[in-house]
Amino acid sequence: QVQLVESGGGLAQAGGSLRLSCAASGRISRPNAMGWYRQAPGKQRELVARITSSGDTLYADSLKGRFTISRDNAKNTVYLQMNSLKPEDTAVYYCNAHYWDAGYWGQGTQVTVSS
């Protein structure tokens, strides 16, 4: 059973930074892709960014330039560096790991940005 352990969420002021981490465990194979999604109250879950095992990245257009995703394949860990945070970035952030046969979600970590 795959486990995704997220950390790094919390409270930040507008203009500040946070770094999220997510470590995958429970399978020998490496995830093909790992990523971050977020869900704000009353809204649908949306893609923030994802990265493949070869380092190809995909970002939500609205977040390019402020958020950076990176990955340590040796640790099966994905990171999300969030800079210039805005109150509208407030949401639960979910880690996702996609293997060749299945995808998995973390439990989510709350990010709250105060104005």
Side-chain angles (χ1 to χ4, degrees), residues 16-93:
S17 298
L18 286 173
R19 188 188 193 216
L20 306 182
S21 300
C22 172
S25 63
R27 285 185 64 156
I28 296 174
S29 60
R30 178 182 302 165
N32 293 336
M34 298 185 74
W36 292 95
Y37 292 72
R38 69 184 184 183
Q39 187 167 18
K43 295 187 177 181
Q44 290 188 330
R45 191 173 298 188
E46 62 178 1
L47 171 72
V48 174
R50 69 193 301 262
I51 183 168
T52 67
S53 58
S54 59
D56 295 327
T57 58
L58 175 68
Y59 291 91
D61 286 342
S62 62
L63 300 176
K64 288 179 181 178
R66 293 196 299 122
F67 289 14
T68 302
I69 192 169
S70 60
R71 177 171 174 170
D72 185 335
N73 286 331
K75 297 180 179 179
N76 282 338
T77 298
V78 64
Y79 306 95
L80 184 69
Q81 179 66 42
M82 304 184 293
N83 297 329
S84 302
L85 285 164
K86 303 176 180 180
E88 51 262 43
D89 294 320
T90 295
V92 178
Y93 285 69

